[in-house]
Amino acid sequence: GEDSRSFHVSIQAPLNIASVGETQSITTVAGGQLILECPEDAVSPTHIEWHREGSLLQEDARRQVLAEGRFLQIQAVGAADGGEYSCRATNTLGDTSLHLRVEVHG
């Protein structure tokens, strides 16, 4: 006789974000739209949080987190939106952060 079985294999990998430990600098013009990306190449689903100046970012009419945290969109950018942003991606094997400094001109 013959017997067969199917298995579902889920591979989990540590997170890896480019430029970990370095702060990337982004310059934008006041009045426009800014989209920040939290690049992650994790195989397994992750949880992504955005922070501004060390505090968890609260979404509002101008600031929205998109694609399950992968992007942060800021509308009608103003001088007050400048500063240090970070995203933190977490999976079952750990977490990693990416830091961005935003400068607003105009």
Side-chain angles (χ1 to χ4, degrees):
E2 213 175 280
D3 190 15
S4 68
R5 292 183 186 198
S6 298
F7 295 95
H8 175 74
V9 178
S10 177
I11 299 173
Q12 295 184 331
L15 297 170
N16 183 19
I17 291 181
S19 303
V20 169
E22 296 178 19
T23 299
Q24 296 183 5
S25 189
I26 296 171
T27 303
T28 188
V29 178
Q33 172 181 279
L34 176 64
I35 297 179
L36 304 178
E37 180 180 3
C38 189
E40 48 89 15
D41 61 3
V43 177
S44 61
T46 60
H47 173 71
I48 301 175
E49 289 180 345
W50 283 93
H51 295 80
R52 181 176 181 277
E53 300 294 342
S55 298
L56 187 63
L57 186 96
Q58 300 299 318
E59 290 184 75
D60 56 31
R62 290 190 319 107
R63 298 185 295 190
Q64 295 182 322
V65 176
L66 308 172
E68 298 177 349
R70 185 101 189 259
F71 300 97
L72 172 62
Q73 176 181 278
I74 304 173
Q75 305 274 2
V77 176
D81 293 311
E84 181 92 20
Y85 288 81
S86 63
C87 66
R88 182 176 173 203
T90 307
N91 72 6
T92 55
L93 297 178
D95 64 79
T96 189
S97 297
L98 176 69
H99 296 272
L100 305 160
R101 174 157 292 284
V102 174
E103 294 181 26
V104 181
H105 292 276

